[in-house]
Amino acid sequence: MRFQILGPTTALGEDGEPVSLGGPRVRGLLTLLALHAGRIVGAEQLVDGMYGPRPPEGVANALQSQVSRLRRVLGKDVVEFHPAGYRLVADPDDVDAHRFERLAQAGRQALEGGDPARAAALLREALELWRGAPLVDAPYAEAAATALEELRLAATEDRIQADLDLGRHRELVAELSRLIAAHPLRERLRAQLMRALYGSGRQAEALTVYDEARKILDEELGVEPGAELAAAHLAVLRADPALGAPAVRTPAQRQGLRAQLTSFVGRAEELAQVGARLQAGRLVTLIGPGGAGKTRLAIEAAEREPGDVCFVPLAPVSDEADVPVAVLTALDIRDPLLHTTDRPAVDPVTRLVTALADRKLLLVLDNCEHLIAATAELTDLLLASCPGLRVLATGREALGITGESILPLAPLRLPPPEVDDPLDYPAVRLFADRAAAVQPGFAMDADNAAQVVRICRALDGLPLAIELAAARLRTLPVSEVAARLDDRFRLLARGSRTALPRHQTLRAVVAWSWDLLDESEQRLARRLSVFVGGARPEAAERVCGLPDDVLFSLAEKSLVEVVGGRYRMLETIRAYCAERLAESGEVDTMRDAHTAYYLDLVLAADARLRTGAQMEWLARLDEESDDLNAAIRWATESGQLETALRLLAHAACYWYLRGDRVATAHLAAALLAEVGSTPPEGMDEEYVMCVLVTNWHGGMDDELRDLIAAAARGLLAWNYLPKRVEFLMMLLSMYTGPPDDFSAAYETIVQMNPVLPPWQEALSYAGAAFVLQSLGRVEEALDHFQRGLAAFKAIGDRWGIVLVLSGLGSLYHEQHDYPRAYALADESLTMARELAAKTEIAEALCRRGDALQCLGDPDGARADYAVAADLSRRNGSMETAAWAHLGLGEVALGRGHLEEARTVLTQAREECPEGWYSAADTRTRIDAALTEVSRMVSER
C-alpha cells in the first residue's frame, strides 16, 4: 500500500487504485501517521495535529474512534497500537513525502558530486510527486507543511542549478521569473536568473535583475545582497565565460577508509537512511548488538559521501583520555611541538578544534561503546565549535547528546521457516554469498535451502554469526553446520585472523558486550534468559527481582531489543546469558519464578477469554505463548506435576481458540506420561483436560480411549459442571456427546440453566439446541439457539457466537434452506476470521462449501474445501481436515471423477478421528460417499 500526502491525502492499494478513506478526521489522522511512517506517533501529537489548540471534550475517545475507522479501512495490521501511541506500518519510501525527501537528497548529492544529469533526473522525479499543497488534510500541522514547502523550493533550486550546469539557460528564464514573483526575497533564485539570462545572451537584463534585488532587499529587510548574488553580479560585469559553471573540485580526502574485500549485502535501505540522516543533521549514531554490521554500514555510508571523510577506529583505544589523540592520528595531524622543549605542548582537544574549525568533514567514530562518556564529550565540543563538521558514530548505545539522530541497526531480515525463495531475504543472501567464497560452486538448491534457512534463523540474522557459520563450510557440509548450532559458541570459533580479537569468535562478540555491563545489569541479563520469547517490563521485574530501569539500561546497550513493548534477547545473546545463569546456580530459582508468573497469568487470562475482553487477552497470550509453553515444559520436567496440570488446563481454551493443536498435544502427552493413569488428588478436572488435549489432534490409541472413557465416567460426562476449569464443559462434550436418552438429556440441561454462571448458561442453551435439533424439535431448537446467541453476545464471547451461528446454519441446512445456511456460514466465517480462530475458520469454510454444493456451485464449494483442508492440516484439526476432504470427494463424485473421489474420500476416512462424537456425522457421510463411488465404478 502507498500513501500520498503531498496534496490531498490518498491511500493506494496494491492494484494502484485509491482506497476510500472516509471523512476529514480519518484523512487527517492518516496524514499525520504517514508523515511519520514506521515510527510511533504519540496520542498527544496526533490530537494537536487533528484538532489544534482547542480539542473537543472527550478527545481521547474521539481519537480512538478515528483510529478504529482508519483500521477498518486499511486493516488492523497497517495501523498498530503501542502504549506510547500509534504507528503506520509502512516503509517510509511508500509515502510520497519521504520518497520526495530521499530523492531530493540524492539529487543534491549528485549535484555536489559534479553529476548534473543524474541530479536533474532525480530532482525531477522528486518534484513530480507533488500534487498540491502538502498535508492539506492536516490543517494544524502547519510547521511540518511549511518545512515540506521549503524542501520543495530548495529541490526546485537544485534542479534549476543542475539544468544550468547542463546549459539549459534559455529554457529556465520564464520559470525563474515566475518563481521570483512568488518568492521575491529568495536570493538564490535571482542569482540563477542572472546566470540564465547571461547564458541566453541577455547581459543587460541580468544586471537589471541584480539592481531590482538590491532595491527589494534594502526596502524589505534593510540588508545588502548576499555573497552568492554579489558573486553573480561581479561575474556578469566581468563577462566571465565561466559564469555559474560548476566549481573546480579537488578530490575528496578519504582518511582511514580501507577498501572492502567482500560484497555489501542486504543493507540498502539502512544505507539510504544513513545518507538521508547525514544530510538532515550533523550527528548520526548507529547502535545495535555486536556483530550486527554497524562498522561495515558506516564505511559504506562514508564511501558514498561526496566530501572529505575520516574514519577513526576506537576499538583499539582503552583509555578515555586517548580518544582525542586517536582522532588526531586518524586525521594525520602531527604535533609540531612534539620534539621541542622550550614551548608547552598544545592540548589535543584544542588542536582538534583549531584543525577542524573551518573544514567540511564527515568524522566516523567507530566502536564507541567502551569509551562512551569521553566520545560523547569530545563529539559535543567538536560539533559546537566546528560548523562544517558532521559525525557518524557506531556503538552499542547512543552517545546521549542533544541533536543526536539514533539509527538502531536490527539483524538482517529473515525468511519464515517455509518459504518459496529464501534468497529474497538478506540474511540468506549473505550466507550464500560468503559460502560461495569459501566453497567454490556453492549454490542454494532444494536440498540445502531448508538447512540454510534454519542456520540463518537460529543465528537471528546476525551478520557476523552468519559469516562465521558460512566460513565453516570449508570443513563441514551445510547439514552438519545446521545440526551443530545447539553448541553455537564452539562451532563458530574461527573468524578472520586479521579481525579484532572480539570479532574472531561468536563468544568473544557477546563477551565484549557482557564485560561492559555493571553488576546489576549482568544479574538481570543472565536471569532474563529464562524468558524464551522476551518479556514485558512488569514480567521481567517480577521474575528477575530487579527494577525495570536496569532492563531499560540493557536495551540502551543493545543487549535486549524492544519489539512491540516486549524486551527480548537475540538467541545468541540469550544462549550466552543462559551459560552465565547456569554458572550462578540460579537456574531452578529463576525457572520456578518464571513458572509461577505464567501460572498467575494464565489463570487471569482464562477467566477473561470468554468475555468482552476476549480479543485483548487473546492478543496478550499470543505474545506470551512461547513462554507459557516453556513454563509447562519446565514444570513437567522438574516434577511439579500439579502446577503443570493447572497451567495446561487453563491454557486449553486459548489453544483451542487459536487452533494450536499439534504442539500443545505433544506438551500434554509429555505431561500425561509423567502423571500416569491416576490424577493427583483434587486435580480431576485438570487431569481430564490434559487427557483430552493429548488427543485433540486425532490418532487416538486404545490407552487414550480408555482414559477418556474413564474421565467421562468420573465426571458424569456431558452434563458435568466444572468447578475450576470452565472450558472443560465444552471440550468434554465434544468427545463424548450426550447420552442415548436425548429427552432426559434435554430435561437435565433445562434444570441446570437457572443456576449456571453466564458463560456456562450460554453454552447450555447451545447444547440444548443441539439436543432439540437431534430430537427433531426444530422450533424449540431455533428458540434455544437464539437464546444462546443472545447470551453469548451479552457476555461478548465471539467464539460462542460463531458456535451458535454454525449450529443455526446446520439446522437450516437440514431443513434444505440452503441460502440461509450459506448466509449463516458466511457470517460465522467473517467473525471467525476477526477472532483468528483457525479451526472455526476451517469449519465455517466447510459449512459454506456444503451450502454451495446444494446451491449448485461446485467450483465455489471446492475452493472453500481446499482452503479449509490446508488450514486444518497446518493446525492439526484432523476432524475438520476429514470434513474438508469429504467435501472435495463429494465434488469430485458429482463430476464423475471417481478415482479422484475415492482417493480424497479414503484420505478423509483415515483422518476422521475414531470415538469423537463431534465427528460422527462426518464419518457417516464419508462411508455413504465411498459406497456411492463403489456403486458407480461397478456400473461402468
Side-chain angles (χ1 to χ4, degrees), residues 576-645:
Y576 183 90
C577 292
E579 290 183 357
R580 307 288 76 75
L581 182 67
E583 291 171 358
S584 73
E586 296 178 329
V587 172
D588 290 350
T589 301
M590 287 299 102
R591 285 187 173 175
D592 287 347
H594 176 272
T595 299
Y597 175 83
Y598 280 95
L599 178 58
D600 288 347
L601 176 67
V602 79
L603 289 172
D606 190 33
R608 295 169 174 83
L609 283 178
R610 295 172 294 280
T611 70
Q614 184 177 63
M615 299 297 288
E616 173 188 346
W617 281 91
L618 280 171
R620 177 69 192 278
L621 289 178
D622 283 344
E623 68 178 49
E624 302 285 2
S625 177
D626 289 341
D627 276 281
L628 174 57
N629 293 354
I632 295 172
R633 279 192 294 271
W634 164 246
T636 301
E637 293 167 1
S638 61
Q640 302 175 55
L641 301 184
E642 293 188 10
T643 297
L645 283 170

Side-chain angles (χ1 to χ4, degrees), residues 15-27:
D15 57 0
E17 292 298 316
V19 176
S20 178
L21 295 173
R25 297 293 189 202
V26 175
R27 294 196 303 274

Side-chain angles (χ1 to χ4, degrees), residues 321-360:
D322 291 335
V323 173
V325 177
V327 179
L328 285 169
T329 301
L331 287 164
D332 198 24
I333 298 175
R334 292 179 292 276
D335 188 352
L337 305 179
L338 190 62
H339 303 293
T340 66
T341 57
D342 56 340
R343 287 181 291 175
V346 180
D347 173 55
V349 175
T350 303
R351 290 168 57 211
L352 270 177
V353 171
T354 303
L356 300 177
D358 298 318
R359 187 171 175 186
K360 287 189 175 181

Side-chain angles (χ1 to χ4, degrees), residues 151-361:
L151 288 174
R152 179 187 191 181
L153 187 54
T156 302
E157 291 174 335
D158 287 341
R159 194 268 302 158
I160 289 171
Q161 187 63 45
D163 284 343
L164 286 170
D165 289 351
L166 293 169
R168 297 168 181 164
H169 300 79
R170 295 180 186 277
E171 304 168 23
L172 296 169
V173 172
E175 179 184 5
L176 281 164
S177 298
R178 289 193 300 271
L179 287 169
I180 288 170
H183 307 281
L185 301 178
R186 198 84 175 184
E187 292 189 49
R188 188 182 183 196
L189 289 173
R190 290 187 180 271
Q192 289 176 329
L193 178 57
M194 291 177 67
R195 182 180 172 191
L197 288 166
Y198 181 85
S200 303
R202 299 157 67 178
Q203 180 178 1
E205 292 175 73
L207 293 171
T208 301
V209 170
Y210 178 78
D211 290 337
E212 291 173 352
R214 184 171 60 180
K215 180 179 178 182
I216 289 174
L217 290 170
D218 181 51
E219 291 175 351
E220 296 290 334
L221 303 177
V223 299
E224 288 294 317
E228 184 176 7
L229 191 54
H233 178 236
L234 182 61
V236 171
L237 287 173
R238 291 175 174 174
D240 187 348
L243 178 67
V248 178
R249 302 180 184 274
T250 58
Q253 294 188 45
R254 294 286 191 266
Q255 295 176 282
L257 284 179
R258 296 180 57 184
Q260 299 301 297
L261 302 179
T262 57
S263 59
F264 184 61
V265 178
R267 292 290 194 195
E269 181 179 344
E270 292 89 341
L271 187 59
Q273 288 179 330
V274 175
R277 294 199 186 193
L278 284 172
Q279 288 296 317
R282 297 179 57 211
L283 172 59
V284 178
T285 304
L286 302 177
I287 64 170
K294 301 182 293 295
T295 297
R296 181 62 185 272
L297 178 59
I299 290 172
E300 295 292 333
E303 286 286 5
R304 284 158 175 76
E305 282 292 305
D308 293 349
V309 175
C310 179
F311 182 88
V312 185
L314 293 176
V317 180
S318 57
D319 191 331
E320 292 196 338
D322 291 335
V323 173
V325 177
V327 179
L328 285 169
T329 301
L331 287 164
D332 198 24
I333 298 175
R334 292 179 292 276
D335 188 352
L337 305 179
L338 190 62
H339 303 293
T340 66
T341 57
D342 56 340
R343 287 181 291 175
V346 180
D347 173 55
V349 175
T350 303
R351 290 168 57 211
L352 270 177
V353 171
T354 303
L356 300 177
D358 298 318
R359 187 171 175 186
K360 287 189 175 181
L361 173 74

Side-chain angles (χ1 to χ4, degrees), residues 392-531:
L392 174 60
T394 77
R396 309 204 181 171
E397 62 179 302
L399 296 179
I401 300 173
T402 301
E404 180 180 25
S405 178
I406 303 168
L407 182 58
L409 190 60
L412 294 172
R413 192 162 55 92
L414 288 162
E418 297 180 7
V419 64
D420 292 334
D421 190 356
L423 286 171
D424 286 342
Y425 295 83
V428 176
R429 287 205 305 275
L430 178 64
F431 183 94
D433 181 87
R434 301 303 189 257
V438 300
Q439 187 185 92
F442 175 87
M444 293 277 293
D445 55 34
D447 294 331
N448 63 22
Q451 293 162 340
V452 172
V453 168
R454 180 186 166 198
I455 291 168
C456 294
R457 287 178 59 83
L459 297 175
D460 304 296
L462 206 61
L464 178 63
I466 289 173
E467 291 183 335
L468 291 172
R472 291 311 307 264
L473 296 188
R474 286 192 293 263
T475 55
L476 294 172
V478 174
S479 58
E480 193 69 17
V481 172
R484 295 189 182 198
L485 283 174
D486 287 343
D487 191 4
R488 66 187 63 203
F489 295 120
R490 183 179 178 187
L491 175 69
L492 307 181
R494 296 181 183 177
S496 170
R497 288 190 180 95
T498 61
L500 291 169
R502 61 187 176 86
H503 273 181
Q504 290 182 2
T505 71
L506 189 60
R507 181 183 297 278
V509 171
V510 186
W512 171 266
S513 296
W514 175 270
D515 291 340
L516 294 174
L517 303 178
D518 63 30
E519 184 178 349
S520 62
E521 290 167 342
Q522 289 183 348
R523 188 181 306 122
L524 179 58
R526 69 176 183 250
R527 292 177 178 179
L528 198 63
S529 66
V530 297
F531 289 93

